[in-house]
Amino acid sequence: QVQLVESGGGLVQAGGSLRLSCAASGSVDSIKRMAWYRQAPGELRDMVASITSGGTTNYADSVKGRFTISRDNAKNTVSLQMNSLKPEDTAVYYCHARERAGLHEYNIWGQGTQVTVSS
């Protein structure tokens, strides 16, 4: 089974930047796609950015042009570079992996890392 650990969250002023990292361990060969989600208090968890094994990326409209997702297959990590941060980006950010095991698929989540953007 895959395990995910996020790091890099913190407090930043509006207009600043942060870089989040997610380290995967365990059955890393079973991962089909990785993504970053975020969830503000009382809100649904929404996908921010995703990246496939082949490097295809997808972004939420709210972060296009500001966030960049990347992966390092050798290190089994996925990163999210966040620039031009806005207060509305404040949320807990979760790393996500879609794991394929035989005929089954599993959604694997990290523990989350807090990102707070002050105005």
Side-chain angles (χ1 to χ4, degrees):
Q1 188 175 356
V2 173
Q3 295 85 44
L4 304 173
V5 179
E6 303 102 331
S7 63
L11 175 65
V12 65
Q13 189 175 352
S17 299
L18 283 174
R19 185 175 180 87
L20 306 182
S21 296
C22 174
S25 61
S27 303
V28 294
D29 291 342
S30 66
I31 298 175
K32 294 175 61 180
R33 187 207 70 166
M34 298 193 72
W36 285 96
Y37 288 71
R38 67 186 182 187
Q39 185 172 24
E43 302 293 333
L44 297 175
R45 188 174 298 182
D46 296 325
M47 189 179 73
V48 175
S50 66
I51 185 167
T52 67
S53 298
T56 301
T57 58
N58 190 29
Y59 297 92
D61 289 339
S62 59
V63 306
K64 286 181 178 178
R66 299 189 297 120
F67 291 10
T68 302
I69 189 170
S70 61
R71 56 184 287 161
D72 186 335
N73 291 330
K75 298 180 179 179
N76 296 317
T77 60
V78 61
S79 298
L80 184 69
Q81 178 66 45
M82 305 184 294
N83 299 325
S84 302
L85 284 163
K86 305 174 181 179
E88 49 263 46
D89 295 320
T90 296
V92 177
Y93 284 70
Y94 296 90
C95 185
H96 171 268
R98 183 177 296 162
E99 180 182 7
R100 179 66 174 266
L103 299 179
H104 303 281
E105 286 191 349
Y106 301 91
N107 291 312
I108 309 299
W109 297 95
Q111 82 287 348
T113 184
Q114 177 70 47
V115 172
T116 302
V117 184
S118 64
S119 59

